[in-house]
Amino acid sequence: MGTGRGYGKTILFGEHFVVFGLPAIASALGSFTLAEVKVSEGKGYTVNDQRPATPGYKKTKYKESMQSIMNVIDHLNIDLNNNKLEITFSGDLIAASGVGASAAQCTSLVRALNSTFNLNLNNEKVNDAAYEGEKAYHGTPSGIDNTASTYGGLIWFVKNLSGGKNTMDLLQMPKKVPLIIANSGITASTTEVVADVRRLKEKNPEKFEKIFVKYKELAKSAKKAILEGDIVDIGKLMNQNHKLLQEINVSGEINDKLVNLALKNGAIGAKMTGTGRGGLVIALAENEIMQEKIANAIEKEGYVVWKTMIG
Ligand code: MEV
């Protein structure tokens, strides 16, 4: 028997842009998915998914989830003809669009298989295998989610579009800052939204080029603000990033509503995070008192909210 963890993540800057080789910044969350693998005589595998989840999430993502498990098993050359695997997923990460639930599931499974079959995988190999799993969910994933899930911490990530090694630098903030994560309750298809952005970009190359230039500058400033712990600047840049995400048509009405609600209640900055068109919104608070106030205001409107610290 073996177990493994995969952490959830939140993208602070650069979802979607990251798919096109632009830098993004993500933070792993303290919550994780736990995979447990038991081996018995026989063939094949069973899956028992006990993860807490947003209503509808598991049903919507069922096929992708099963394919991602198969991708991981194939990539690691696990012999299902002479082993029967009983795979159970649990943990405290709520499976929802935007929280890196798919990556956390893939990473946890890789780690559990690693320990069950003594595969001696280092983090790089764990990350590679989790990426194969992610392909079932994303089509063409940038790899940022599995990287955050595997390594943890706050990361600066750039996808290598030529297929070589991606860039990953760990960032350290001088002090941790409070973040609110609001769940719209809507599960979006990452594959579809990413494909939509690609189509839109092909139709409007000049518009996208301009947005990409703006975003590149924004990402550089965001890295600087994070390293300096300048939360006012981080907040401003989050707001600007949200506007650019609106311009590439990935922020849904619900995301804009939650962003505005957070800002109206004192957030320093707010934006959608992850796929968009539902999923999650993040908001930065000056201190824990403000974090509580913003979280309460959003909860009052009927949304599930999580409070965390990043940095
Ligand atoms: C999804 O969490 C993040 C996206 O940028 C897709 C990806 O990076 O693969 C939308």
Side-chain angles (χ1 to χ4, degrees), residues 232-264:
V232 173
D233 245 18
I234 299 171
K236 264 192 219 155
L237 292 161
M238 282 169 70
N239 294 339
Q240 287 170 16
N241 194 172
H242 185 71
K243 289 214 171 78
L244 295 182
L245 289 162
Q246 286 174 322
E247 285 181 36
I248 63 167
N249 204 24
V250 293
S251 183
E253 254 175 55
I254 184 77
N255 301 99
D256 296 345
K257 177 182 166 185
L258 288 169
V259 162
N260 290 334
L261 198 55
L263 292 175
K264 209 175 83 190

Side-chain angles (χ1 to χ4, degrees), residues 17-37:
F17 296 102
V18 69
V19 173
F20 298 95
L22 302 181
I25 300 174
S27 172
L29 299 173
S31 301
F32 58 87
T33 291
L34 180 74
E36 186 184 283
V37 175

Side-chain angles (χ1 to χ4, degrees), residues 45-194:
Y45 65 96
T46 59
V47 178
N48 179 2
D49 189 352
Q50 295 177 355
R51 291 174 300 166
T54 286
Y57 176 90
K58 287 191 204 170
K59 198 166 164 225
T60 310
K61 301 273 181 182
Y62 180 76
K63 264 199 190 154
E64 296 177 355
S65 162
M66 288 300 147
Q67 184 59 50
S68 82
I69 292 168
M70 212 48 244
N71 285 6
V72 167
I73 289 174
D74 276 353
H75 179 81
L76 296 177
N77 286 319
I78 306 293
D79 178 7
L80 291 181
N81 285 320
N82 296 296
N83 295 297
K84 180 164 191 256
L85 309 185
E86 227 177 274
I87 305 169
T88 306
F89 293 105
S90 58
D92 65 348
L93 180 72
I94 315 276
S97 232
V99 79
S102 60
Q105 188 184 36
C106 297
T107 309
S108 69
L109 177 61
V110 176
R111 290 205 191 280
L113 291 169
N114 189 26
S115 96
T116 307
F117 292 98
N118 297 316
L119 302 175
N120 284 321
L121 303 178
N122 60 16
N123 275 344
E124 196 177 335
K125 291 264 160 40
V126 167
N127 199 24
D128 288 346
Y131 180 72
E132 290 306 311
E134 273 282 86
K135 285 182 180 168
Y137 280 100
H138 286 214
T140 54
S142 66
I144 189 170
D145 290 8
N146 47 281
T147 303
S149 179
T150 301
Y151 292 93
L154 189 58
I155 61 165
W156 167 268
F157 179 90
V158 188
K159 181 182 172 65
N160 184 329
L161 295 183
S162 325
K165 232 172 157 233
N166 300 325
T167 303
M168 196 226 31
D169 295 329
L170 278 172
L171 304 178
Q172 191 79 52
M173 264 172 103
K175 83 176 204 313
K176 288 191 181 290
V177 290
L179 195 80
I180 296 107
I181 305 179
N183 187 356
S184 71
I186 296 168
T187 301
S189 159
T190 307
T191 309
E192 276 173 27
V193 183
V194 168

Side-chain angles (χ1 to χ4, degrees), residues 213-231:
V213 168
K214 271 194 215 159
Y215 173 72
K216 252 192 229 169
E217 278 311 306
L218 190 155
K220 268 195 245 158
S221 308
K223 185 179 188 179
K224 183 169 176 280
I226 282 176
L227 292 174
E228 289 170 358
D230 185 339
I231 59 170

